[in-house]
Short mmCIF file of all heavy atoms in Angstrom, two decimals:
data_model
loop_
_atom_site.label_atom_id
_atom_site.label_comp_id
_atom_site.label_asym_id
_atom_site.label_seq_id
_atom_site.Cartn_x
_atom_site.Cartn_y
_atom_site.Cartn_z
N LEU A 1246 35.61 -44.20 13.37
CA LEU A 1246 34.46 -44.59 14.06
C LEU A 1246 33.91 -45.96 13.71
O LEU A 1246 33.25 -46.56 14.60
CB LEU A 1246 33.34 -43.49 13.77
CG LEU A 1246 33.63 -42.08 14.18
CD1 LEU A 1246 32.50 -41.20 13.73
CD2 LEU A 1246 33.79 -41.97 15.68
N LEU A 1247 34.33 -46.50 12.60
CA LEU A 1247 33.92 -47.82 12.24
C LEU A 1247 34.72 -48.88 12.96
O LEU A 1247 34.40 -50.04 12.92
CB LEU A 1247 34.13 -48.00 10.75
CG LEU A 1247 33.07 -47.28 9.83
CD1 LEU A 1247 33.42 -47.42 8.42
CD2 LEU A 1247 31.68 -47.82 10.08
N ASP A 1248 35.84 -48.52 13.62
CA ASP A 1248 36.70 -49.44 14.30
C ASP A 1248 36.09 -49.72 15.64
O ASP A 1248 36.03 -48.81 16.52
CB ASP A 1248 38.10 -48.82 14.44
CG ASP A 1248 39.09 -49.78 15.02
OD1 ASP A 1248 38.61 -50.78 15.59
OD2 ASP A 1248 40.28 -49.49 15.01
N GLU A 1249 35.60 -50.89 15.86
CA GLU A 1249 34.91 -51.21 17.11
C GLU A 1249 35.85 -51.03 18.32
O GLU A 1249 35.42 -50.66 19.39
CB GLU A 1249 34.40 -52.68 17.09
CG GLU A 1249 33.29 -52.90 16.06
CD GLU A 1249 31.97 -52.25 16.47
OE1 GLU A 1249 31.85 -51.87 17.63
OE2 GLU A 1249 31.05 -52.23 15.63
N GLU A 1250 37.11 -51.35 18.13
CA GLU A 1250 38.07 -51.24 19.26
C GLU A 1250 38.31 -49.83 19.59
O GLU A 1250 38.44 -49.44 20.78
CB GLU A 1250 39.35 -51.99 18.90
CG GLU A 1250 39.23 -53.49 18.71
CD GLU A 1250 40.54 -54.14 18.39
OE1 GLU A 1250 41.57 -53.43 18.32
OE2 GLU A 1250 40.57 -55.34 18.18
N ASN A 1251 38.35 -48.99 18.60
CA ASN A 1251 38.65 -47.57 18.89
C ASN A 1251 37.39 -46.88 19.42
O ASN A 1251 37.40 -46.16 20.34
CB ASN A 1251 39.07 -46.89 17.57
CG ASN A 1251 39.33 -45.40 17.75
OD1 ASN A 1251 39.90 -44.98 18.76
ND2 ASN A 1251 38.99 -44.63 16.69
N ASP A 1252 36.24 -47.24 18.73
CA ASP A 1252 34.93 -46.68 19.14
C ASP A 1252 34.92 -45.21 19.32
O ASP A 1252 34.31 -44.65 20.24
CB ASP A 1252 34.45 -47.43 20.34
CG ASP A 1252 32.90 -47.31 20.53
OD1 ASP A 1252 32.23 -47.22 19.53
OD2 ASP A 1252 32.42 -47.29 21.66
N GLY A 1253 35.62 -44.46 18.48
CA GLY A 1253 35.59 -43.02 18.51
C GLY A 1253 36.49 -42.38 19.53
O GLY A 1253 36.46 -41.17 19.74
N LYS A 1254 37.24 -43.14 20.23
CA LYS A 1254 38.09 -42.63 21.35
C LYS A 1254 39.03 -41.54 20.87
O LYS A 1254 39.38 -40.59 21.53
CB LYS A 1254 38.81 -43.68 22.09
CG LYS A 1254 37.87 -44.70 22.85
CD LYS A 1254 38.67 -45.71 23.61
CE LYS A 1254 37.78 -46.70 24.37
NZ LYS A 1254 37.05 -47.55 23.46
N ASN A 1255 39.60 -41.76 19.64
CA ASN A 1255 40.59 -40.83 19.14
C ASN A 1255 40.04 -39.90 18.05
O ASN A 1255 40.77 -39.36 17.28
CB ASN A 1255 41.81 -41.61 18.58
CG ASN A 1255 42.44 -42.46 19.63
OD1 ASN A 1255 42.62 -41.99 20.73
ND2 ASN A 1255 42.79 -43.68 19.30
N SER A 1256 38.72 -39.81 17.98
CA SER A 1256 38.09 -38.98 16.94
C SER A 1256 37.69 -37.68 17.46
O SER A 1256 36.66 -37.52 18.11
CB SER A 1256 36.89 -39.79 16.39
OG SER A 1256 37.30 -41.03 15.91
N PHE A 1257 38.44 -36.63 17.15
CA PHE A 1257 38.17 -35.30 17.66
C PHE A 1257 37.28 -34.57 16.65
O PHE A 1257 37.31 -34.79 15.44
CB PHE A 1257 39.44 -34.62 17.89
CG PHE A 1257 40.28 -35.11 19.05
CD1 PHE A 1257 41.27 -36.07 18.80
CD2 PHE A 1257 40.04 -34.70 20.33
CE1 PHE A 1257 42.00 -36.55 19.84
CE2 PHE A 1257 40.73 -35.22 21.39
CZ PHE A 1257 41.77 -36.22 21.13
N LEU A 1258 36.50 -33.61 17.23
CA LEU A 1258 35.69 -32.74 16.39
C LEU A 1258 36.51 -31.91 15.43
O LEU A 1258 37.61 -31.55 15.78
CB LEU A 1258 34.79 -31.89 17.28
CG LEU A 1258 33.79 -32.54 18.12
CD1 LEU A 1258 32.95 -31.50 18.89
CD2 LEU A 1258 32.84 -33.44 17.36
#
Side-chain angles (χ1 to χ4, degrees):
L1246 297 176
L1247 288 173
D1248 186 347
E1249 294 287 351
E1250 294 182 1
N1251 181 39
D1252 201 28
K1254 295 182 179 67
N1255 299 318
S1256 300
F1257 292 94
L1258 296 180

